[in-house]
Amino acid sequence: MAAILRLPGGARDASEIVEALLVAAQARETTAPDLAGRWRAIADDIGDALDQLAPPTTTQEQQ
């Protein structure tokens, strides 16, 4: 299933979500390993999607 995720901060916000999922998964590894695995899988899926995005372009201002 695909989903569209719109975040005000763009990819930066998405990378923070990935980081939060990984931290949460590590915290739950011993008490809820199945849940931790699911959170890691979600983080991996989001990370893979971010890797497929075109790199941002920057324009140089003329001085």
Side-chain angles (χ1 to χ4, degrees), residues 16-53:
E16 288 181 23
I17 291 170
V18 169
E19 181 69 23
L21 284 166
L22 293 173
V23 169
Q26 184 176 0
R28 288 294 184 161
E29 186 60 38
T30 57
T31 58
D34 291 340
L35 184 59
R38 174 134 172 78
W39 288 346
R40 281 193 187 90
I42 292 169
D44 288 342
D45 289 345
I46 294 171
D48 290 346
L50 288 173
D51 290 342
Q52 293 178 9
L53 294 175

